[in-house]
Amino acid sequence: MTEVIERFLRYVQIHTTSEESGLHPSADREFDLARVLKAELEELGAEDVYLDEQRCYVYAHIPATDPEAEDGETLGFVAHMDTSPDAPGEHVDPLFVENYQGEDIVLNREKDIILSPAVFPELSHYIGNTLIVTDGTTLLGADDKAGVAEIMTMASWLLTHPEIPHGRIAIAFTPDEEIGEGTDGFDVERFGADYAYTVDGGALGELEYENFNAASLKVHVRGRNVHPGEAKNKMVNAARIAMEYDRLLPAEQKPEYTEGYEGFFHLMHMEGGTDEAKLSYLIREHDAEKFHEKKALAEAAAEYLNRKYGGNRVEVEIRDSYYNMKEKIEPDHLFLIDRAEECMRALGIEPKVVPIRGGTDGANLSFMGVPCPNLCTGGHNFHGVYEYIPVESMEKITQLLIRLAVY
């Protein structure tokens, strides 16, 4: 078993699910992986290894081995330690499917959970590969512990091959990316990179410098609960108003109906009853003007229902999460894309420049002064029990990171 796979298997078994707690980091368990990474970086001989004991960020540097590059620019690599709260992230039990031949993969026979190419046709790209899959009860954690393992393996290789010339390399691991707070306490000065790559993407070859503009939308509906036998002209059913609010949003602008550059409203959570109801959405749009239009529509729907039912029955709270990094990459930093494409082709990887239908820490870092496009990790079907990653993709991406570091 190669080093990157050993690291990955070790990291995914550390529970690091982030949560909407209002704390930073959102869950103390994220420190469990942070402390492991700190210790491993120190053992490898990295410099300036630092764990922010308040905010749970890990930073380190790999010193330049090329005398001509010692005073040059510093390249950084970033990955996040937390996993998504969309699926269970504790007691992860990775399974191996060796020499995959295109068949259905039974993840969990008892629960009838099957990873099938009929539903996930991308599986056909990995005939002959070894796949790491879940046991059907948790996510796998490749988002983004695959990125963490790939960066750590790159660091290990560079630090054990000081004869290979390269410039100074910066490394950072972040908490809470999955809840949109991965850079809230990020120390750009301590990171010390002039530009960087997040390693937080999908399939082998994907390369991204465009992402959604993103906001969270929370809807709070207040009703009036009266005994249903005496409810006529008195009851105001908050749950029904919440359902009506959802119907006012464009039906075609749901994630399950969109692709490419198309944005969406994603209903993440709903709860409540007659007296009170709450809805939580993600708003996503690549185009800035359409992004503002979506937020305006969310507010207009609440205003309409308040006019219809009277009072301040429906309140909305909209909070921007991140913006499209494209404007910070173009035009001065497209060399980062050209360089990644060149390194991919040298390794026999066909680059595929695609827009991110999501976001990364790199989006916010780009607006914080560190241009930061996104590299693939090799994984698929993040945030759920159908998540998988090919061993061969992780090994190839580790080679890609090394090649970029010594470019």
Side-chain angles (χ1 to χ4, degrees), residues 3-23:
E3 180 180 349
V4 68
I5 303 305
E6 290 178 350
R7 289 184 180 278
F8 177 66
L9 295 178
R10 189 161 67 247
Y11 299 157
V12 298
Q13 293 178 66
I14 302 173
H15 183 206
T16 59
T17 303
S18 52
E19 59 187 55
E20 297 280 357
S21 68
L23 303 174

Side-chain angles (χ1 to χ4, degrees), residues 49-60:
V49 180
Y50 178 77
L51 168 60
D52 182 339
E53 291 284 358
Q54 297 297 315
R55 306 299 293 272
C56 198
Y57 291 84
V58 180
Y59 305 93

Side-chain angles (χ1 to χ4, degrees), residues 172-187:
F173 299 119
T174 66
D176 293 339
E177 190 270 355
E178 294 292 2
I179 58 171
E181 298 173 6
T183 59
D184 282 8
F186 193 92
D187 189 333

